[in-house]
Amino acid sequence: MLTASPADACFVLASVDQARLLRCTRTPNGRCNISDIDALQSPFPEPERGRPNALKGMTGHSYAAPHHTVEEDHRRFDKLLAQWINEQIDRRDIKRLTVFTAARSIKEISEHLGCAHREQVELVAKNLAGLTNEALQEHEAVLALLARRPEPKTTRAFSGTRKPRTDQTE
């Protein structure tokens, strides 16, 4: 199981039907390295054009427009995404998580986040889900996440010489 260190920046890229949990780490040369941790795929089927609508009555007339079912699936996925985020924070001991998603999803996700996790999650109205990991490494929003994290502590190699202690008593 991958857990996040305090110097790592964890973030989620969410679209209307999938989400990816990613970790951004700073390499020794100062570059950004992004790796996938987990993913969530929508279990709701994509509506097909020309197929019978479940909202149609016996007469064949629809009481709701087809886009209402699509919007309802998006809301259901946002609720599922919030539950998945809660699980990921608990399982991976993530201290701070940024979620990049469409503006229309922010309200639904924030309503379904656990009370304990609301302060740990930052919701950003920016859709980055279509970008590859290589493109994300150069994106200013991801670099800003990494800039907010503390620098990793480097250890100095022992030089082999030591000053004699003067406070010793014999």
Side-chain angles (χ1 to χ4, degrees):
M1 175 175 64
L2 293 171
T3 58
S5 76
D8 296 346
C10 291
F11 60 100
V12 171
L13 301 181
S15 67
V16 294
D17 62 348
Q18 64 181 353
R20 296 187 312 162
L21 175 63
L22 300 136
R23 178 177 53 204
C24 182
T25 56
R26 188 178 288 124
T27 61
N29 64 357
R31 292 188 40 90
C32 175
N33 182 28
I34 295 179
S35 57
D36 287 83
I37 298 175
D38 205 351
L40 173 69
Q41 188 68 36
S42 175
F44 311 115
E46 188 68 30
E48 299 178 31
R49 293 190 181 271
R51 301 281 298 176
N53 188 345
L55 296 176
K56 289 185 179 180
M58 300 263 312
T59 60
H61 297 291
S62 177
Y63 296 105
H67 70 274
H68 288 296
T69 58
V70 173
E71 289 173 5
E72 182 60 29
D73 285 346
H74 291 175
R75 278 194 294 277
R76 289 170 48 203
F77 178 70
D78 291 340
K79 180 180 178 182
L80 181 67
L81 175 61
Q83 294 168 350
W84 181 74
I85 289 170
N86 289 331
E87 292 169 9
Q88 295 297 321
I89 289 173
D90 290 338
R91 251 183 47 210
R92 301 184 190 284
D93 194 30
I94 298 172
K95 302 295 181 214
R96 188 84 181 132
L97 182 68
T98 304
V99 179
F100 294 104
T101 187
R104 62 147 195 84
S105 297
I106 289 181
K107 180 182 177 202
E108 193 73 30
I109 293 170
S110 65
E111 286 177 1
H112 295 287
L113 281 176
C115 294
H117 300 133
R118 285 201 177 119
E119 292 183 11
Q120 293 173 277
V121 177
E122 177 186 6
L123 298 169
V124 179
K126 193 174 282 206
N127 193 354
L128 304 178
L131 298 178
T132 63
N133 286 2
E134 291 77 24
L136 287 169
Q137 289 175 350
E138 305 298 327
H139 199 280
E140 69 270 0
V142 176
L143 294 174
L145 286 178
L146 199 55
R148 288 189 281 188
R149 298 294 189 254
E151 288 283 334
K153 293 187 178 182
T154 57
T155 56
R156 245 195 294 180
F158 180 64
S159 65
T161 60
R162 207 186 287 187
K163 290 184 180 180
R165 293 181 66 182
T166 58
D167 62 341
Q168 293 178 342
T169 58
E170 292 183 29

